[in-house]
Amino acid sequence: MIPTPDTDIRPDVEARAALEAIIMVTDEPADPRLLAQLVEIAPERVDALCEDLAAEYASEGRGFELVKVAGGWRFQSRAEMSPYVERFVLSGQSARLSSAALETLAIVAYKQPISRAQVASIRGVNVDGVMRTLQQRGYIAELARDPGPGQAVLFGTTSAFLEKLGLNGLDELPALGEFVPSPEVVEALENGLRFDAMEDVDMSAAPADIDVDIDVDIEIILEDSEEFVVDLRTSSISLDALDVLADDE
Amino acid sequence: MIPTPDTDIRPDVEARAALEAIIMVTDEPADPRLLAQLVEIAPERVDALCEDLAAEYASEGRGFELVKVAGGWRFQSRAEMSPYVERFVLSGQSARLSSAALETLAIVAYKQPISRAQVASIRGVNVDGVMRTLQQRGYIAELARDPGPGQAVLFGTTSAFLEKLGLNGLDELPALGEFVPSPEVVEALENGLRFDAMEDVDMSAAPADIDVDIDVDIEIILEDSEEFVVDLRTSSISLDALDVLADDE
Amino acid sequence: SQCYGIRMAVAVQTPVFEGPFDLLLHLILQEQVELYEVSLTTIIDAFLIEIERMDHLDLEVTTEFLLIAATLVELKARRLLPGLDDGDLDDELALWDERDLLLARLLEAKTFKDAATVLARLAASAAHRVARRVGPDERYVDLTPDALEGISAEQLRRAFIRATTPKEIPRIDLYHVAPVRASVLDAMAELIAELPGAGKVTFRDLTAALVEKLEIVVRFLAVLELYKQGQIELDQPARFGDIEICWIGSEQEASAELVDAYEG
């Protein structure tokens, strides 16, 4: 039973048992290359043997499974058994992700490496808090710095993110193309933003005395860098007028 | 096969898989009584099924075994495979401290002096084994005893711990910064009260036949401090009041 | 010109929208309305609320809000007052550009919103499988006498944060496997063992070692029961002050009989 140093002549039976023994004591997914080194077999054989084992456990109806997650092999409880496993208070189960966190994660996952400002621009909101939380939980990490001026920190997803989603790699994420809005949605949005004249508009609803030459200038003044004042200064329309306009609907 | 009690109708196949699933993910040997509760079968059947499983793994030549240690069931690598496991441990790729142990150590480090029960309450699991290991390794030690009648042992980190981390004192631990633990954790730390699962505890678990007409009129209120405060001289107590109390957490 | 402090006006209930795109997508897609029908004040209010909600002002994002608001104002005004174009082609084209840009960004936001729902599904499905994270057992402890080797203080800090971050709320009712099963009977038995000969004890002391609030409540009920049975004397000198407990029953009697009395 003492391991012999010759490479890859180890019989399947022993290699399989050795893999089971090692993976049983790893507390994160075991890299096939490391396993290959330890068991002295080729990395491809590690994967093949683990796949065999996984199939065996499944056919035997075991309560656990062997899966490849975040690039490594690990034991985990089988999904069907979750009612039993969940009865038991587990540590390390992190809170469910908010929709803000999920959207931010989706952007980072598909667009990495990406800066905080770029994420904010896509989401249209400040993402500092969400990004900080995701970083603390270990789902995203600083990957690099933008070589350009400003040297913004660029973020990417981590293996903890892959584990959270039960993925082996980012390539298992559905292609972004699958999420491109359907023609119906595009049409709905286009309609929503239509500004050409509508024939059926009842013009009597519009206040008669509003100057239509609208020209909204926006001026933002930061006073004392604390007080935030917005001046919606317009040549011929004021906020009051807008209210009138809106109220008239 | 042991005689099956009336309530014990879960088929073997499912009970076995459930046991495998739970034991696979626990980091302490799983008490047969707890397993019996989780799987809803008799404790003796837990032992019988686990013994069956253990025999199966042995006959299949698995690299792991199911053994009863310290009164509980756990998976571990089979002794014959230990040369491989040793290689793994020595490879430096294995986490020297399991994440459970590291989290426990971190809680003791940041919140000392702290009782075992408080640590367990924060981690949401039994920490006896982990605490014992940390103590054996000389990273934590008994500091004092809680002056109350329970006289809980209070733990803290040792100078060996500081030395290993290259710190001169506890004040050199990295600041927790803006991080704010969940309110439940804050409460657990401040009051030594356990937080998890409380909201699921049906107050009917407390005997329902409590005599409300006790001679003393009392009032239980939750002050801002969340402290359990009782005034014997005023008002009255009802189980509803207790429910409110439980709900308030 | 008028100045509007952002802090004014915004006491409306915060909507669930995550920013201007979220809001617009909701208005246009979910509500199936056209901008024409949407009250402009609603939009502006929502935008102001969003700005108000920001922890600290991010000039870039705030500007974003305002630019989008301005575009919307223009689009809307055009549609409310059709046929009044003064024929300035440049203005017209600029507005088209603005609109196209806004549309493109809405589509992008929508794309990631949909991607996020898939991530949520994946995460939910992964949550049904729990990873084994156990590590080598005690047989291998001696191989690595220094288990802290390579562990930095920073890793320790992160472990602490991990351990104290809010846990997922279990979806399944835990009551029948509740880790704590406090019974008044057990608590009475404990008190009967502890109190005789202990002199005057405060309730605070009696419960200092307890972790569960439920245990404290149950112990309190046990104290009341013993009081009712005449085994202890209670005193509370100050309102909401410490309750003092003193055993007055006979020590011989301190036995299962009392517990039986409770049951009966």
Side-chain angles (χ1 to χ4, degrees):
Chain A
M1 276 297 175
I2 306 274
T4 39
D6 310 64
T7 52
D8 219 353
I9 52 154
R10 202 165 305 286
D12 268 4
V13 173
E14 183 171 350
R16 284 154 49 108
L19 290 172
E20 288 179 315
I22 299 169
I23 298 170
M24 194 57 80
V25 301
T26 56
D27 69 353
E28 50 185 44
D31 188 328
R33 284 163 302 185
L34 172 66
L35 291 171
Q37 233 181 331
L38 295 169
V39 185
E40 293 172 325
I41 58 176
E44 310 81 57
R45 224 176 124 209
V46 169
D47 282 343
L49 290 173
C50 285
E51 278 156 25
D52 283 357
L53 286 169
E56 242 174 64
Y57 301 148
S59 75
E60 290 168 356
R62 300 269 167 229
F64 52 81
E65 53 193 11
L66 184 62
V67 289
K68 201 172 187 184
V69 174
W73 290 96
R74 77 173 188 200
F75 280 109
Q76 64 186 26
S77 57
R78 193 148 57 92
E80 289 87 338
M81 295 300 127
S82 65
Y84 300 103
V85 176
E86 281 166 5
R87 284 181 190 183
F88 161 70
V89 186
L90 292 163
S91 71
Q93 291 279 88
S94 45
R96 223 164 297 173
L97 294 166
S98 67
S99 64
L102 281 165
E103 279 176 37
T104 307
L105 264 181
I107 294 168
V108 175
Y110 282 101
K111 293 264 187 180
Q112 58 189 309
I114 187 170
S115 73
R116 201 182 276 127
Q118 287 171 306
V119 178
S121 142
I122 292 176
R123 296 206 57 228
V125 288
N126 182 307
V127 294
D128 290 359
V130 178
M131 296 279 281
R132 205 164 40 235
T133 307
L134 290 173
Q135 210 180 344
Q136 268 174 359
R137 296 227 200 132
Y139 298 139
I140 65 172
E142 300 186 4
L143 282 192
R145 279 192 176 269
D146 195 344
Q151 306 226 315
V153 176
L154 300 177
F155 291 87
T157 51
T158 62
S159 58
F161 164 79
L162 291 174
E163 283 193 58
K164 176 84 180 168
L165 265 55
L167 300 175
N168 185 34
L170 286 171
D171 53 340
E172 287 185 4
L173 281 175
L176 194 56
E178 292 179 27
F179 304 114
V180 169
S182 65
E184 294 77 32
V185 170
V186 176
E187 200 191 325
L189 288 174
E190 274 182 331
N191 279 337
L193 296 180
R194 209 155 39 128
F195 65 88
D196 47 333
M198 295 174 66
E199 281 161 21
D200 55 351
V201 170
D202 177 5
M203 277 307 296
S204 64
D209 57 342
I210 288 188
D211 187 334
V212 289
D213 187 14
I214 299 171
D215 176 17
V216 184
D217 288 336
I218 296 173
E219 188 177 314
I220 299 172
I221 310 156
L222 276 182
E223 284 178 1
D224 307 324
S225 66
E226 280 295 327
E227 187 79 7
F228 182 68
V229 180
V230 176
D231 181 14
L232 282 179
R233 196 184 48 205
T234 63
S235 52
S236 51
I237 187 171
S238 72
L239 259 188
D240 292 343
L242 283 178
D243 280 340
V244 168
L245 204 117
D247 290 342
D248 263 349
E249 292 177 44
Chain B
M1 203 52 19
I2 54 154
T4 317
D6 291 347
T7 53
D8 197 350
I9 52 155
R10 202 166 297 285
D12 268 4
V13 174
E14 185 171 352
R16 285 156 48 108
L19 290 171
E20 287 181 316
I22 298 166
I23 299 170
M24 185 57 79
V25 302
T26 54
D27 54 6
E28 290 276 318
D31 189 318
R33 284 163 303 182
L34 174 67
L35 290 170
Q37 257 189 321
L38 294 168
V39 184
E40 293 169 329
I41 59 175
E44 313 80 59
R45 217 175 130 211
V46 168
D47 282 342
L49 289 173
C50 285
E51 277 155 25
D52 283 357
L53 286 169
E56 238 175 69
Y57 301 146
S59 76
E60 289 169 353
R62 297 271 166 229
F64 51 81
E65 54 192 6
L66 184 60
V67 291
K68 202 169 187 183
V69 178
W73 289 97
R74 80 167 182 209
F75 279 107
Q76 63 180 34
S77 341
R78 188 149 58 93
E80 289 88 332
M81 293 297 128
S82 58
Y84 295 104
V85 178
E86 280 167 20
R87 277 191 200 182
F88 168 65
V89 173
L90 291 172
S91 73
Q93 302 291 316
S94 94
R96 298 285 167 88
L97 277 186
S98 67
S99 54
L102 189 61
E103 283 178 23
T104 305
L105 184 58
I107 292 168
V108 175
Y110 277 99
K111 295 295 168 186
Q112 56 192 304
I114 188 168
S115 72
R116 200 184 276 126
Q118 282 175 306
V119 178
S121 131
I122 293 170
R123 294 214 50 239
V125 289
N126 179 309
V127 294
D128 293 359
V130 176
M131 295 279 282
R132 206 163 41 238
T133 307
L134 290 172
Q135 214 178 339
Q136 269 166 9
R137 288 193 177 270
Y139 301 143
I140 66 172
E142 301 186 5
L143 283 192
R145 277 189 180 269
D146 202 0
Q151 305 229 314
V153 176
L154 299 176
F155 291 87
T157 51
T158 62
S159 53
F161 161 82
L162 290 174
E163 211 175 289
K164 301 278 188 207
L165 279 176
L167 303 174
N168 290 316
L170 287 173
D171 52 337
E172 287 185 11
L173 280 174
L176 294 173
E178 295 173 31
F179 176 75
V180 181
S182 66
E184 294 87 351
V185 169
V186 173
E187 194 194 357
L189 289 172
E190 285 176 355
N191 298 350
L193 293 178
R194 188 167 166 144
F195 62 93
D196 54 8
M198 272 306 281
E199 53 199 7
D200 291 297
V201 174
D202 188 338
M203 280 304 293
S204 64
D209 57 343
I210 289 169
D211 191 351
V212 184
D213 266 330
I214 302 170
D215 304 348
V216 196
D217 282 332
I218 50 172
E219 180 181 83
I220 301 178
I221 63 156
L222 272 185
E223 279 186 336
D224 292 343
S225 61
E226 291 145 334
E227 207 176 334
F228 182 81
V229 182
V230 178
D231 188 3
L232 285 180
R233 292 180 306 195
T234 56
S235 201
S236 64
I237 183 182
S238 73
L239 268 183
D240 289 347
L242 291 179
D243 274 329
V244 166
L245 203 118
D247 287 342
D248 263 348
E249 296 194 53
Chain C
S1 79
Q2 291 162 286
C3 280
Y4 291 86
I6 284 293
R7 274 160 199 276
M8 63 165 198
V10 203
V12 194
Q13 276 214 328
T14 313
V16 288
F17 303 115
E18 270 275 331
F21 297 141
D22 202 22
L23 172 65
L24 276 179
L25 285 172
H26 174 81
L27 291 174
I28 297 173
L29 295 177
Q30 269 78 35
E31 301 287 310
Q32 294 288 313
V33 297
E34 296 189 355
L35 209 54
Y36 167 68
E37 297 166 356
V38 176
S39 155
L40 196 59
T41 32
T42 309
I43 293 182
I44 290 179
D45 276 352
F47 277 34
L48 288 177
I49 288 166
E50 197 55 48
I51 293 169
E52 174 84 354
R53 274 205 330 194
M54 292 177 184
D55 291 344
H56 38 268
L57 283 171
D58 182 323
L59 192 55
E60 224 165 281
V61 178
T62 313
T63 312
E64 187 109 71
F65 266 105
L66 294 170
L67 286 178
I68 291 170
T71 307
L72 293 176
V73 168
E74 278 199 84
L75 289 175
K76 178 143 184 148
R78 293 279 176 146
R79 290 178 54 186
L80 281 175
L81 309 168
L84 296 176
D85 281 318
D86 54 9
D88 187 331
L89 203 57
D90 284 349
D91 279 359
E92 191 81 348
L93 285 175
L95 188 54
W96 273 104
D97 281 350
E98 292 278 327
R99 191 205 82 122
D100 286 351
L101 188 64
L102 183 54
L103 182 60
R105 296 187 62 186
L106 278 178
L107 288 173
E108 189 176 37
K110 174 81 176 123
T111 301
F112 284 108
K113 202 175 254 310
D114 291 346
T117 63
V118 169
L119 294 199
R121 248 201 330 272
L122 288 171
S125 142
H128 288 303
R129 301 163 173 89
V130 179
R132 176 179 174 87
R133 296 181 194 276
V134 177
D137 57 67
E138 69 285 340
R139 291 174 294 171
Y140 304 98
V141 163
D142 290 343
L143 289 176
T144 51
D146 180 9
L148 283 180
E149 193 188 318
I151 300 238
S152 67
E154 174 55 25
Q155 279 169 295
L156 194 76
R157 186 184 73 90
R158 266 187 256 133
F160 179 80
I161 287 170
R162 217 166 42 234
T164 53
T165 298
K167 309 249 191 304
E168 187 158 5
I169 298 145
R171 270 148 294 180
I172 290 190
D173 175 323
L174 280 175
Y175 102 90
H176 64 296
V177 287
V180 186
R181 287 260 184 179
S183 94
V184 175
L185 298 184
D186 291 348
M188 283 173 70
E190 282 163 29
L191 290 175
I192 289 165
E194 271 177 44
L195 290 175
K200 203 174 263 186
V201 182
T202 66
F203 184 71
R204 189 181 300 277
D205 289 341
L206 273 183
T207 54
L210 297 183
V211 173
E212 296 279 354
K213 191 164 278 184
L214 180 63
E215 289 178 326
I216 297 173
V217 170
V218 166
R219 200 163 250 234
F220 182 69
L221 294 172
V223 166
L224 292 178
E225 182 59 31
L226 286 176
Y227 176 83
K228 192 181 159 201
Q229 294 182 11
Q231 301 301 320
I232 57 175
E233 205 162 61
L234 296 178
D235 188 28
Q236 187 175 32
R239 191 171 147 81
F240 295 123
D242 276 353
I243 299 166
E244 293 169 352
I245 300 159
C246 189
W247 184 266
I248 53 167
S250 74
E251 301 216 4
Q252 287 73 24
E253 212 187 329
S255 69
E257 289 165 36
L258 294 175
V259 174
D260 290 346
Y262 169 73
E263 268 180 318

